Amino acid sequence: MRILLRPQCRTVDLTGRRTVARLLRELGVLPGTAMVIRKDTLLLDSEIVEEDDEIEVRAVISGGAA
Amino acid sequence: MKCVRCRAKPEVYLRAHNAAFCRGCYLEYFTRQVERAVRRQRMLGPTDRVLVAVSGGKDSLALWDVLAGLGYDTTGLYLAQGIGAYSARSRQLVETFAATRGFPLQVVDFAEQDGGMTVPDVAALTRRSPCAACGTLKRHYFDRAARDGGFDVLATGHNLDDEAARLLGNVLHWQRDHLARQRPVLEPTHAAFVRKVKPLYLLSEYETASYAFLRGIDYVVDECPNAAGATQLLYKDVLGRLEAASPGTKAGFVREFLRTGQPAFAAETTPAAGTCERCGMPSFGEVCSHCALVAEIARKRTEPPRAVAP
C-alpha cells in the first residue's frame, strides 16, 4: 500500500494488510494525532487497510498559535 | 464498533469519550458541543455581531462554519501576514471558503499597513522572532478590526489542545498574570476592546480536523514554516503522550483548571490598561506595543546603513 503523510508530503510504501492501529504504530504516530483517510472516508483504528489501498495519514496537530 | 447514536458504521472514534460516531451523527455531535459551550459560558447573544478570526486552518474555518450554521451574524477576518507561499495558500482557501458560502470576509494585508508590516520584514528589521512579531501584530489588528467594524465579539478557533498546551506552558513558568487571563471568555477591560471567546476550547484538534474533513472544508494542512521547533508543539507532543496513555487527560487538565485553579489567579488584581496616545488602543505605556513596533520599523528603515569595520 502507498501511504501519503501530510503535512510532510512524504510517501511510504508498505506490503501486506494490517489494522489502522498497527499502521500508525509502525509510522510512529500517536493515537488521536492524525486522521487516517481512504478515498473520502475516515478510518477507525480497528479497520483493515489492504495491500492495494492508497491511504493518507494527515496530522491534526498544529502549532505556533500566538 | 457502531455509532453510539444510530448504530451505523462509524467514521470517528473519540477515545476520551469511548464513543464512535457515523458521519451524520458526528457532525451533529460537534455542532451541539459548540452550541453548549457558547450557551454555558454565555459567549454570544442572539443579536451579537461576531467577528471570526480565520487563518485558513481547520479550527477557524470549522468554527466559522458552525457559528454561521447556528444562525449567528458572522464576518470573517483574515490577516495576510506575508509569509510567502504559506500565506498565499491560506488566503486563497479562506477567500474560496467565504465566497462559496456567501459569508462576508474582511482581509487586512500587513504589507499595506504602516508602510509595510509583513511578519518576515518585521522580524528581519527588529531581530524579533517571527512568532513574537506575528503575535504582536495579530493581537493589534484583531482588536482594531473588531473595534472599527463595530463588532460585539471576537471569536477565535483555539481548541482543547491549544488551551492545554498554553496551560502547561503557563504552569511550567508560573505565569500568574497569564493564568489569570486564561479563560474561554474574556470580557472587555477597555473601551476599545470587545468580548473575546473561544467556542472550541473543549474540542480536540482531532475533533475539529474530523469535522472539517467530513464537512468537505478545504483547509491549509501545511504547517506555518515559522512553527518548526515552536515550544507549543513540544508541549502538545508531551500532552499527546499523556493522552494516549490516559484518554481524557487534556480535557481534565483544562476543565479542572478552569473550575478550581483559574478563579484563584483571577482574584489577583492586575493593573488597568491605559490608552495608546497614537492609535487609541489599550496600552500599559504611553504607546502600545504595536505602535512602538511601527516606530521602531520606521526608524530602522530611515537609518543609514552601518559602516562595515575594516
Side-chain angles (χ1 to χ4, degrees), chain B residues 173-256:
Chain B
H173 298 97
W174 287 117
Q175 290 178 299
R176 299 158 70 100
D177 53 337
H178 292 192
L179 289 162
R181 293 196 304 271
Q182 186 168 353
R183 293 191 294 262
V185 180
L186 278 179
E187 293 297 339
T189 54
H190 185 280
F193 275 157
V194 302
R195 190 185 324 131
K196 294 173 185 165
V197 302
K198 303 173 185 174
L200 306 182
Y201 79 108
L202 289 178
L203 288 157
S204 70
E205 288 194 286
Y206 183 78
E207 288 172 275
T208 59
S210 297
Y211 177 87
F213 177 82
L214 295 175
R215 282 282 289 164
I217 295 172
D218 195 7
Y219 65 88
V220 67
V221 176
D222 294 335
E223 185 63 273
C224 172
N226 296 321
T231 309
Q232 193 192 38
L233 285 175
L234 173 63
Y235 295 157
K236 284 187 174 182
D237 182 58
V238 169
L239 289 161
R241 290 170 195 279
L242 291 170
E243 183 75 18
S246 179
T249 296
K250 285 183 291 195
F253 185 40
V254 171
R255 278 183 193 276
E256 278 308 297

Side-chain angles (χ1 to χ4, degrees), chain A residues 6-7 9 30-35 37 39-47 58-66, chain B residues 1 9-13 15 23 58 135 158 205-206 209-210 213-214 219 221-223 227 232-233 236 240-241 244:
Chain A
R6 293 182 76 195
C9 280
L30 284 171
T33 63
M35 295 185 290
I37 302 164
K39 292 181 180 164
D40 65 343
T41 61
L42 296 178
L43 301 181
L44 302 190
D45 283 2
S46 56
E47 293 189 71
R58 188 187 297 181
V60 301
I61 302 297
S62 58
Chain B
M1 190 176 287
K9 182 180 182 302
E11 273 193 74
V12 181
Y13 174 64
R15 288 163 54 87
R23 182 173 296 221
K58 62 191 187 309
H158 292 92
E205 288 194 286
Y206 183 78
S210 297
F213 177 82
L214 295 175
Y219 65 88
V221 176
D222 294 335
E223 185 63 273
Q232 193 192 38
L233 285 175
K236 284 187 174 182
R241 290 170 195 279

